Amino acid sequence: MPNTLPGFWRKTLAILGLCALSTAFGAYGQDFSNGKWLDLTHEFNEQSIYWPTAEPFKKTTVFEGQTPGGFYYSAYNFAAAEHGGTHLDSPVHFYQGQQSVEQIPLEQLIGPAVVIDISKKTAANRDYQLSVADIQAWEGKHGKIPDGSILLINTGFARYYGDQEKYMGTVKRGEQGVKELSFPGIHPEAAGFIATKRKIKAVGLDTPSLDYGKSTGFESHVTLFKHNIPGFENVANLSGLPPTGAIVIALPMKIKGGSGGPLRIVAFVPGR
Amino acid sequence: MPNTLPGFWRKTLAILGLCALSTAFGAYGQDFSNGKWLDLTHEFNEQSIYWPTAEPFKKTTVFEGQTPGGFYYSAYNFAAAEHGGTHLDSPVHFYQGQQSVEQIPLEQLIGPAVVIDISKKTAANRDYQLSVADIQAWEGKHGKIPDGSILLINTGFARYYGDQEKYMGTVKRGEQGVKELSFPGIHPEAAGFIATKRKIKAVGLDTPSLDYGKSTGFESHVTLFKHNIPGFENVANLSGLPPTGAIVIALPMKIKGGSGGPLRIVAFVPGR
């Protein structure tokens, strides 16, 4: 620091230097010390929710107990469809040539959360679809959805997870089950608005599908995936998130060529 | 701000106020804008590394192509042993009554990385085991391993991943393959040091096992798991991490009662 500067500015610059260091620590340290982690993931078990036509989750025991070597050992095998439990839908699931799950950049799976709560509307109508008006109402309160956000729709249906009839509208399997599906989702017009009028990284919700249960054309999937916006389905605990301010980290199993896969999704909710 | 303060201190306090705000943004914002994300995960495919006696990863096609509904659709099933590819070992894998994979708190899976490079030693001896002296040598340069760190051992073997003979020492399957395993690991004394003399959250490395390939008693597993310290195995890209300063986020598939499972592990490496 030049000694020719007047004393005030020398001291001020010294303080600014400390300040920059301090900011750097904050920005780079990411110690997550002030706040809490929230798991937005349902565990995989025999009751995990799968599409009526999909292979459900199975875990089988390889070994469990004392070994001749003198140590305890337990190990299991597992098998499932990609699209069940808390999972990621990769764009290639409904759009040829788009990203498979291992191709989605990490930067797209990590970002600030925007949480839109439509649980009152779905309580009145379990086939409710998130509308453009719902998004605009949220923006009226909280401002325009920031570029780079991860959009999470809280339908309130996570509270039914574990009770398949309440959650999906049916316990039937196969094509008959598909016909009786009933749960909320994202209206295709809202999907179009999200994909073309806003710049978000990914969309998630607490139902089995981005499209509502009665959809047959899966237009919201197609629209979002055309724009390489992946989806998170059967997400848990969205009621624990504030409308803005949380950071979402959504890490899927890295299946080569996968159209999706099991997802561990968590959020950091900053303290006050 | 009291107007009775001398001008210098008034201005200094104003600057400090801005500084505090700026630090707060950095600490709470966690926007990860200055730095890069690094994926420490190998993808799951038919060549993924599994123990010679374990069920390898399989992916089967459910559907791939245009549907009668007019939209493209692709979906797959998958199956595997829990312990293959980049995966987590839960303490119950080798210690009865300890945590299964869904029980590990998120706070234990997220933390600052400490990276110890033993790749020169393993280049000379592929059955090398990380020693207490290696840890102490690292601490001599970088200071004591901070409480709450995630300890990652870079053996350099990730570069062999995809060539099973170089990576594991054998391509044989079954018990004969187990007898011919050869790769580096953590010496049981070092595991004891880590578990009792330091306070770390988890341990990871870029080989198929915390214990070296020639182990028959798996003492390092047992010691670490006795202290509820989970392990990350077949980790990728550790050479891309600095000895300190990165943040690790390691999110396993949430398998109820799982002794482990597929792991997506990533690191944020701050910019300069």
Short mmCIF file of all heavy atoms in Angstrom, two decimals, chain A residues 150-199:
data_model
loop_
_atom_site.label_atom_id
_atom_site.label_comp_id
_atom_site.label_asym_id
_atom_site.label_seq_id
_atom_site.Cartn_x
_atom_site.Cartn_y
_atom_site.Cartn_z
N ILE A 150 -34.58 -23.39 -9.60
CA ILE A 150 -35.20 -24.71 -9.69
C ILE A 150 -36.62 -24.55 -9.14
O ILE A 150 -36.81 -24.12 -8.00
CB ILE A 150 -34.39 -25.76 -8.90
CG1 ILE A 150 -33.05 -26.00 -9.63
CG2 ILE A 150 -35.19 -27.05 -8.75
CD1 ILE A 150 -32.12 -26.97 -8.95
N LEU A 151 -37.60 -24.84 -10.00
CA LEU A 151 -39.00 -24.59 -9.65
C LEU A 151 -39.61 -25.84 -9.02
O LEU A 151 -39.62 -26.90 -9.63
CB LEU A 151 -39.77 -24.21 -10.93
CG LEU A 151 -41.28 -23.99 -10.76
CD1 LEU A 151 -41.59 -22.89 -9.76
CD2 LEU A 151 -41.91 -23.67 -12.12
N LEU A 152 -40.12 -25.69 -7.81
CA LEU A 152 -40.73 -26.81 -7.10
C LEU A 152 -42.20 -26.49 -6.84
O LEU A 152 -42.52 -25.41 -6.34
CB LEU A 152 -40.00 -27.07 -5.79
CG LEU A 152 -38.51 -27.40 -5.93
CD1 LEU A 152 -37.82 -27.45 -4.57
CD2 LEU A 152 -38.32 -28.73 -6.67
N ILE A 153 -43.07 -27.42 -7.20
CA ILE A 153 -44.51 -27.24 -7.01
C ILE A 153 -44.95 -28.08 -5.82
O ILE A 153 -44.85 -29.31 -5.86
CB ILE A 153 -45.31 -27.67 -8.26
CG1 ILE A 153 -44.66 -27.17 -9.55
CG2 ILE A 153 -46.77 -27.24 -8.14
CD1 ILE A 153 -44.56 -25.70 -9.67
N ASN A 154 -45.42 -27.42 -4.78
CA ASN A 154 -45.93 -28.13 -3.61
C ASN A 154 -47.43 -28.34 -3.76
O ASN A 154 -48.22 -27.43 -3.52
CB ASN A 154 -45.61 -27.33 -2.34
CG ASN A 154 -46.10 -28.04 -1.08
OD1 ASN A 154 -46.43 -29.23 -1.12
ND2 ASN A 154 -46.14 -27.30 0.03
N THR A 155 -47.82 -29.56 -4.18
CA THR A 155 -49.25 -29.86 -4.31
C THR A 155 -49.84 -30.33 -2.98
O THR A 155 -51.05 -30.49 -2.87
CB THR A 155 -49.50 -30.98 -5.34
OG1 THR A 155 -49.06 -32.23 -4.78
CG2 THR A 155 -48.74 -30.72 -6.65
N GLY A 156 -48.97 -30.59 -2.01
CA GLY A 156 -49.44 -31.13 -0.73
C GLY A 156 -49.63 -32.64 -0.74
O GLY A 156 -49.92 -33.25 0.28
N PHE A 157 -49.45 -33.26 -1.92
CA PHE A 157 -49.73 -34.70 -2.01
C PHE A 157 -48.66 -35.57 -1.35
O PHE A 157 -48.88 -36.76 -1.14
CB PHE A 157 -49.95 -35.11 -3.48
CG PHE A 157 -51.41 -35.12 -3.86
CD1 PHE A 157 -52.22 -34.03 -3.55
CD2 PHE A 157 -51.99 -36.21 -4.49
CE1 PHE A 157 -53.58 -34.02 -3.87
CE2 PHE A 157 -53.35 -36.22 -4.81
CZ PHE A 157 -54.13 -35.13 -4.51
N ALA A 158 -47.51 -35.00 -1.01
CA ALA A 158 -46.48 -35.79 -0.34
C ALA A 158 -47.01 -36.40 0.96
O ALA A 158 -46.56 -37.46 1.39
CB ALA A 158 -45.25 -34.93 -0.06
N ARG A 159 -48.01 -35.73 1.55
CA ARG A 159 -48.54 -36.26 2.82
C ARG A 159 -49.28 -37.59 2.62
O ARG A 159 -49.52 -38.32 3.57
CB ARG A 159 -49.44 -35.23 3.50
CG ARG A 159 -50.79 -34.98 2.83
CD ARG A 159 -51.57 -33.90 3.59
NE ARG A 159 -52.88 -33.60 3.04
CZ ARG A 159 -53.12 -32.85 1.97
NH1 ARG A 159 -52.12 -32.30 1.31
NH2 ARG A 159 -54.37 -32.61 1.56
N TYR A 160 -49.68 -37.89 1.39
CA TYR A 160 -50.36 -39.16 1.10
C TYR A 160 -49.39 -40.28 0.74
O TYR A 160 -49.80 -41.43 0.59
CB TYR A 160 -51.34 -38.98 -0.07
CG TYR A 160 -52.46 -37.99 0.17
CD1 TYR A 160 -52.91 -37.18 -0.87
CD2 TYR A 160 -53.08 -37.88 1.41
CE1 TYR A 160 -53.95 -36.28 -0.67
CE2 TYR A 160 -54.11 -36.98 1.61
CZ TYR A 160 -54.55 -36.18 0.57
OH TYR A 160 -55.57 -35.30 0.76
N TYR A 161 -48.12 -39.93 0.53
CA TYR A 161 -47.15 -40.95 0.11
C TYR A 161 -47.13 -42.08 1.14
O TYR A 161 -47.06 -41.84 2.34
CB TYR A 161 -45.75 -40.33 -0.02
CG TYR A 161 -44.79 -41.14 -0.86
CD1 TYR A 161 -44.68 -40.93 -2.23
CD2 TYR A 161 -43.98 -42.12 -0.30
CE1 TYR A 161 -43.79 -41.66 -3.02
CE2 TYR A 161 -43.10 -42.87 -1.06
CZ TYR A 161 -43.01 -42.63 -2.43
OH TYR A 161 -42.12 -43.36 -3.19
N GLY A 162 -47.20 -43.30 0.68
CA GLY A 162 -47.32 -44.45 1.58
C GLY A 162 -48.73 -45.01 1.55
O GLY A 162 -48.95 -46.16 1.91
N ASP A 163 -49.69 -44.19 1.12
CA ASP A 163 -51.07 -44.65 0.92
C ASP A 163 -51.37 -44.49 -0.57
O ASP A 163 -51.80 -43.43 -1.03
CB ASP A 163 -52.03 -43.80 1.78
CG ASP A 163 -53.49 -44.23 1.62
OD1 ASP A 163 -53.82 -44.86 0.59
OD2 ASP A 163 -54.28 -43.93 2.53
N GLN A 164 -51.12 -45.55 -1.30
CA GLN A 164 -51.13 -45.44 -2.77
C GLN A 164 -52.46 -44.97 -3.32
O GLN A 164 -52.51 -44.21 -4.29
CB GLN A 164 -50.72 -46.79 -3.39
CG GLN A 164 -50.34 -46.65 -4.86
CD GLN A 164 -50.01 -47.98 -5.49
OE1 GLN A 164 -49.34 -48.80 -4.88
NE2 GLN A 164 -50.47 -48.19 -6.71
N GLU A 165 -53.56 -45.41 -2.69
CA GLU A 165 -54.88 -45.02 -3.21
C GLU A 165 -55.06 -43.50 -3.10
O GLU A 165 -55.52 -42.85 -4.04
CB GLU A 165 -56.00 -45.75 -2.47
CG GLU A 165 -57.38 -45.32 -2.98
CD GLU A 165 -58.35 -46.49 -3.08
OE1 GLU A 165 -58.10 -47.51 -2.39
OE2 GLU A 165 -59.34 -46.39 -3.84
N LYS A 166 -54.69 -42.93 -1.95
CA LYS A 166 -54.83 -41.48 -1.79
C LYS A 166 -53.84 -40.73 -2.67
O LYS A 166 -54.12 -39.65 -3.19
CB LYS A 166 -54.60 -41.09 -0.32
CG LYS A 166 -55.81 -41.29 0.56
CD LYS A 166 -55.62 -40.61 1.90
CE LYS A 166 -56.83 -40.80 2.79
NZ LYS A 166 -56.53 -40.47 4.19
N TYR A 167 -52.66 -41.30 -2.83
CA TYR A 167 -51.59 -40.59 -3.54
C TYR A 167 -51.81 -40.59 -5.04
O TYR A 167 -51.64 -39.57 -5.71
CB TYR A 167 -50.25 -41.24 -3.18
CG TYR A 167 -49.03 -40.49 -3.66
CD1 TYR A 167 -48.63 -39.29 -3.05
CD2 TYR A 167 -48.25 -40.98 -4.70
CE1 TYR A 167 -47.49 -38.61 -3.47
CE2 TYR A 167 -47.11 -40.31 -5.13
CZ TYR A 167 -46.75 -39.13 -4.51
OH TYR A 167 -45.61 -38.45 -4.93
N MET A 168 -52.20 -41.76 -5.59
CA MET A 168 -52.31 -41.91 -7.04
C MET A 168 -53.75 -42.02 -7.52
O MET A 168 -54.01 -41.95 -8.71
CB MET A 168 -51.58 -43.18 -7.49
CG MET A 168 -50.11 -43.20 -7.18
SD MET A 168 -49.33 -44.73 -7.78
CE MET A 168 -49.15 -44.36 -9.53
N GLY A 169 -54.66 -42.29 -6.57
CA GLY A 169 -56.06 -42.46 -6.95
C GLY A 169 -56.47 -43.90 -7.17
O GLY A 169 -57.65 -44.19 -7.38
N THR A 170 -55.50 -44.82 -7.12
CA THR A 170 -55.80 -46.22 -7.35
C THR A 170 -54.69 -47.10 -6.79
O THR A 170 -53.54 -46.67 -6.70
CB THR A 170 -55.95 -46.51 -8.87
OG1 THR A 170 -56.28 -47.89 -9.06
CG2 THR A 170 -54.65 -46.22 -9.62
N VAL A 171 -55.08 -48.32 -6.41
CA VAL A 171 -54.05 -49.31 -6.04
C VAL A 171 -53.93 -50.36 -7.14
O VAL A 171 -53.12 -51.28 -7.04
CB VAL A 171 -54.37 -50.02 -4.71
CG1 VAL A 171 -54.26 -49.03 -3.55
CG2 VAL A 171 -55.74 -50.69 -4.73
N LYS A 172 -54.75 -50.21 -8.19
CA LYS A 172 -54.72 -51.21 -9.25
C LYS A 172 -53.42 -51.12 -10.05
O LYS A 172 -52.85 -50.05 -10.20
CB LYS A 172 -55.92 -51.02 -10.18
CG LYS A 172 -57.23 -51.40 -9.50
CD LYS A 172 -58.39 -51.38 -10.45
CE LYS A 172 -59.70 -51.60 -9.68
NZ LYS A 172 -60.84 -50.99 -10.38
N ARG A 173 -53.02 -52.28 -10.55
CA ARG A 173 -51.81 -52.34 -11.36
C ARG A 173 -52.19 -52.49 -12.84
O ARG A 173 -53.35 -52.74 -13.16
CB ARG A 173 -50.94 -53.53 -10.93
CG ARG A 173 -50.53 -53.50 -9.45
CD ARG A 173 -49.25 -52.74 -9.21
NE ARG A 173 -48.17 -53.24 -10.06
CZ ARG A 173 -47.12 -52.51 -10.44
NH1 ARG A 173 -47.00 -51.27 -10.04
NH2 ARG A 173 -46.19 -53.02 -11.21
N GLY A 174 -51.23 -52.29 -13.70
CA GLY A 174 -51.44 -52.50 -15.13
C GLY A 174 -52.27 -51.39 -15.76
O GLY A 174 -52.44 -50.32 -15.18
N GLU A 175 -52.78 -51.67 -16.95
CA GLU A 175 -53.50 -50.64 -17.73
C GLU A 175 -54.74 -50.16 -17.01
O GLU A 175 -55.12 -48.99 -17.12
CB GLU A 175 -53.85 -51.18 -19.12
CG GLU A 175 -52.65 -51.31 -20.06
CD GLU A 175 -51.87 -50.00 -20.24
OE1 GLU A 175 -52.48 -48.91 -20.17
OE2 GLU A 175 -50.64 -50.08 -20.42
N GLN A 176 -55.41 -51.07 -16.26
CA GLN A 176 -56.60 -50.65 -15.51
C GLN A 176 -56.22 -49.60 -14.48
O GLN A 176 -56.94 -48.61 -14.29
CB GLN A 176 -57.28 -51.86 -14.84
CG GLN A 176 -58.64 -51.55 -14.25
CD GLN A 176 -59.61 -50.94 -15.27
OE1 GLN A 176 -59.66 -51.37 -16.42
NE2 GLN A 176 -60.33 -49.89 -14.86
N GLY A 177 -55.07 -49.79 -13.83
CA GLY A 177 -54.58 -48.79 -12.87
C GLY A 177 -54.32 -47.46 -13.55
O GLY A 177 -54.67 -46.39 -13.03
N VAL A 178 -53.70 -47.49 -14.71
CA VAL A 178 -53.39 -46.25 -15.43
C VAL A 178 -54.67 -45.45 -15.69
O VAL A 178 -54.69 -44.22 -15.52
CB VAL A 178 -52.65 -46.56 -16.76
CG1 VAL A 178 -52.50 -45.29 -17.60
CG2 VAL A 178 -51.29 -47.19 -16.48
N LYS A 179 -55.75 -46.15 -16.07
CA LYS A 179 -57.01 -45.46 -16.36
C LYS A 179 -57.60 -44.76 -15.15
O LYS A 179 -58.35 -43.80 -15.27
CB LYS A 179 -58.06 -46.47 -16.89
CG LYS A 179 -57.80 -46.90 -18.33
CD LYS A 179 -58.87 -47.87 -18.81
CE LYS A 179 -58.43 -48.55 -20.09
NZ LYS A 179 -59.17 -49.80 -20.32
N GLU A 180 -57.28 -45.28 -13.96
CA GLU A 180 -57.87 -44.71 -12.73
C GLU A 180 -56.96 -43.72 -12.01
O GLU A 180 -57.28 -43.27 -10.92
CB GLU A 180 -58.26 -45.86 -11.79
CG GLU A 180 -59.34 -46.75 -12.40
CD GLU A 180 -59.81 -47.85 -11.46
OE1 GLU A 180 -59.49 -47.79 -10.25
OE2 GLU A 180 -60.48 -48.78 -11.94
N LEU A 181 -55.82 -43.39 -12.60
CA LEU A 181 -54.91 -42.45 -11.94
C LEU A 181 -55.59 -41.10 -11.71
O LEU A 181 -56.33 -40.61 -12.57
CB LEU A 181 -53.65 -42.24 -12.80
CG LEU A 181 -52.68 -43.42 -12.85
CD1 LEU A 181 -51.59 -43.16 -13.90
CD2 LEU A 181 -52.06 -43.70 -11.49
N SER A 182 -55.33 -40.52 -10.55
CA SER A 182 -55.91 -39.21 -10.22
C SER A 182 -55.00 -38.50 -9.24
O SER A 182 -54.89 -38.88 -8.08
CB SER A 182 -57.31 -39.41 -9.62
OG SER A 182 -57.77 -38.20 -9.03
N PHE A 183 -54.30 -37.50 -9.73
CA PHE A 183 -53.44 -36.66 -8.87
C PHE A 183 -53.12 -35.38 -9.64
O PHE A 183 -53.23 -35.35 -10.88
CB PHE A 183 -52.16 -37.41 -8.47
CG PHE A 183 -51.38 -37.97 -9.63
CD1 PHE A 183 -50.55 -37.15 -10.38
CD2 PHE A 183 -51.47 -39.31 -9.98
CE1 PHE A 183 -49.83 -37.66 -11.46
CE2 PHE A 183 -50.76 -39.83 -11.06
CZ PHE A 183 -49.93 -39.00 -11.80
N PRO A 184 -52.71 -34.33 -8.94
CA PRO A 184 -52.47 -33.06 -9.62
C PRO A 184 -51.15 -33.05 -10.41
O PRO A 184 -50.31 -33.92 -10.24
CB PRO A 184 -52.41 -32.04 -8.47
CG PRO A 184 -52.13 -32.83 -7.24
CD PRO A 184 -52.58 -34.23 -7.48
N GLY A 185 -51.01 -32.04 -11.26
CA GLY A 185 -49.78 -31.91 -12.05
C GLY A 185 -49.63 -30.49 -12.57
O GLY A 185 -50.20 -29.55 -12.01
N ILE A 186 -48.86 -30.37 -13.63
CA ILE A 186 -48.58 -29.06 -14.25
C ILE A 186 -49.37 -28.98 -15.57
O ILE A 186 -49.23 -29.86 -16.42
CB ILE A 186 -47.07 -28.93 -14.54
CG1 ILE A 186 -46.29 -29.00 -13.22
CG2 ILE A 186 -46.76 -27.64 -15.30
CD1 ILE A 186 -44.79 -29.17 -13.42
N HIS A 187 -50.18 -27.95 -15.74
CA HIS A 187 -50.93 -27.80 -16.98
C HIS A 187 -49.96 -27.55 -18.15
O HIS A 187 -48.96 -26.84 -17.97
CB HIS A 187 -51.90 -26.62 -16.85
CG HIS A 187 -52.93 -26.58 -17.94
ND1 HIS A 187 -52.65 -26.14 -19.22
CD2 HIS A 187 -54.24 -26.96 -17.96
CE1 HIS A 187 -53.73 -26.25 -19.97
NE2 HIS A 187 -54.71 -26.75 -19.22
N PRO A 188 -50.24 -28.13 -19.32
CA PRO A 188 -49.34 -27.92 -20.46
C PRO A 188 -49.08 -26.44 -20.77
O PRO A 188 -47.97 -26.09 -21.19
CB PRO A 188 -50.09 -28.61 -21.61
CG PRO A 188 -50.87 -29.70 -20.94
CD PRO A 188 -51.29 -29.13 -19.62
N GLU A 189 -50.07 -25.59 -20.56
CA GLU A 189 -49.83 -24.15 -20.81
C GLU A 189 -48.82 -23.59 -19.82
O GLU A 189 -47.97 -22.76 -20.17
CB GLU A 189 -51.14 -23.35 -20.71
CG GLU A 189 -52.03 -23.53 -21.92
CD GLU A 189 -53.39 -22.85 -21.74
OE1 GLU A 189 -53.55 -22.04 -20.80
OE2 GLU A 189 -54.30 -23.15 -22.54
N ALA A 190 -48.91 -24.05 -18.58
CA ALA A 190 -47.94 -23.60 -17.57
C ALA A 190 -46.54 -24.15 -17.91
O ALA A 190 -45.53 -23.45 -17.76
CB ALA A 190 -48.37 -24.06 -16.17
N ALA A 191 -46.50 -25.39 -18.40
CA ALA A 191 -45.21 -25.96 -18.81
C ALA A 191 -44.60 -25.13 -19.94
O ALA A 191 -43.39 -24.86 -19.95
CB ALA A 191 -45.40 -27.42 -19.25
N GLY A 192 -45.45 -24.71 -20.87
CA GLY A 192 -44.98 -23.87 -21.98
C GLY A 192 -44.46 -22.53 -21.47
O GLY A 192 -43.42 -22.04 -21.92
N PHE A 193 -45.18 -21.95 -20.52
CA PHE A 193 -44.75 -20.67 -19.94
C PHE A 193 -43.39 -20.83 -19.26
O PHE A 193 -42.47 -20.03 -19.48
CB PHE A 193 -45.82 -20.22 -18.93
CG PHE A 193 -45.51 -18.91 -18.25
CD1 PHE A 193 -45.89 -17.71 -18.83
CD2 PHE A 193 -44.85 -18.89 -17.02
CE1 PHE A 193 -45.61 -16.49 -18.20
CE2 PHE A 193 -44.58 -17.68 -16.39
CZ PHE A 193 -44.96 -16.48 -16.99
N ILE A 194 -43.26 -21.88 -18.47
CA ILE A 194 -42.01 -22.15 -17.75
C ILE A 194 -40.85 -22.35 -18.75
O ILE A 194 -39.75 -21.83 -18.56
CB ILE A 194 -42.16 -23.43 -16.89
CG1 ILE A 194 -43.13 -23.19 -15.73
CG2 ILE A 194 -40.80 -23.91 -16.38
CD1 ILE A 194 -43.64 -24.48 -15.09
N ALA A 195 -41.13 -23.10 -19.81
CA ALA A 195 -40.06 -23.48 -20.74
C ALA A 195 -39.63 -22.34 -21.65
O ALA A 195 -38.48 -22.29 -22.09
CB ALA A 195 -40.51 -24.67 -21.58
N THR A 196 -40.55 -21.42 -21.94
CA THR A 196 -40.22 -20.39 -22.95
C THR A 196 -40.19 -18.97 -22.40
O THR A 196 -39.52 -18.12 -22.96
CB THR A 196 -41.23 -20.44 -24.13
OG1 THR A 196 -42.54 -20.13 -23.64
CG2 THR A 196 -41.23 -21.82 -24.78
N LYS A 197 -40.92 -18.71 -21.30
CA LYS A 197 -40.98 -17.32 -20.80
C LYS A 197 -40.07 -17.12 -19.58
O LYS A 197 -39.86 -15.99 -19.15
CB LYS A 197 -42.42 -16.96 -20.39
CG LYS A 197 -43.46 -17.19 -21.47
CD LYS A 197 -43.31 -16.21 -22.60
CE LYS A 197 -44.50 -16.32 -23.56
NZ LYS A 197 -44.19 -15.68 -24.86
N ARG A 198 -39.60 -18.22 -19.01
CA ARG A 198 -38.70 -18.12 -17.86
C ARG A 198 -37.48 -18.97 -18.12
O ARG A 198 -37.52 -19.85 -18.99
CB ARG A 198 -39.41 -18.58 -16.56
CG ARG A 198 -40.60 -17.70 -16.16
CD ARG A 198 -40.17 -16.30 -15.73
NE ARG A 198 -41.31 -15.44 -15.39
CZ ARG A 198 -41.92 -14.64 -16.26
NH1 ARG A 198 -41.52 -14.59 -17.53
NH2 ARG A 198 -42.93 -13.88 -15.87
N LYS A 199 -36.41 -18.73 -17.39
CA LYS A 199 -35.18 -19.51 -17.59
C LYS A 199 -34.87 -20.31 -16.34
O LYS A 199 -34.10 -19.88 -15.48
CB LYS A 199 -34.02 -18.57 -17.94
CG LYS A 199 -34.17 -17.97 -19.32
CD LYS A 199 -33.03 -17.04 -19.68
CE LYS A 199 -33.23 -16.48 -21.09
NZ LYS A 199 -32.38 -15.30 -21.35
#
